[in-house]
Amino acid sequence: MSAVPEAPDAPEAPEAKQPVVTPVRVIIALCLFAPFVAMLWVGSYAKVEPTFIGMPFFYWYQMLWVLVSTALTMIAYKLWQRDQRARKGGASR
């Protein structure tokens, strides 16, 4: 066995930095921000009419946002996972 020193690897081309703000990340931010806006804008739902199965609008609107917020958070999480996989895959190419 000969001890031949290995040649140093050729310098790799500098990777282009991926942008921090992307359309997918803007959608994620909107999905997470929408429930806050909806709940903090009390004037939009501080009323009794229309009622739903005898429940005033004030209550069923807030309960509806619990479900909508859950769906939006799930969408944001799935988009975030996809974005992270794409960034890792793009960095190793």
Side-chain angles (χ1 to χ4, degrees):
M1 291 186 85
S2 65
V4 177
E6 293 183 23
D9 291 329
E12 295 181 18
E15 291 184 23
K17 281 199 145 198
Q18 295 178 345
V20 175
V21 178
T22 62
V24 172
R25 289 186 173 192
V26 170
I27 293 170
I28 291 169
L30 289 174
C31 286
L32 296 174
F33 189 64
F36 288 103
V37 172
M39 291 292 93
L40 291 176
W41 186 20
V42 178
S44 69
Y45 62 93
K47 51 190 169 188
V48 175
E49 296 293 328
T51 60
F52 177 68
I53 59 172
M55 211 179 341
F57 181 74
F58 181 79
Y59 294 113
W60 68 259
Y61 179 81
Q62 292 180 63
M63 294 309 294
L64 178 65
W65 269 101
V66 170
L67 300 174
V68 171
S69 298
T70 302
L72 289 174
T73 303
M74 285 178 15
I75 290 168
Y77 178 69
K78 291 298 181 184
L79 287 173
W80 181 258
Q81 282 184 324
R82 183 189 309 170
D83 183 62
Q84 293 304 301
R85 280 195 305 269
R87 284 178 177 269
K88 287 180 184 172
S92 64
R93 288 182 188 171

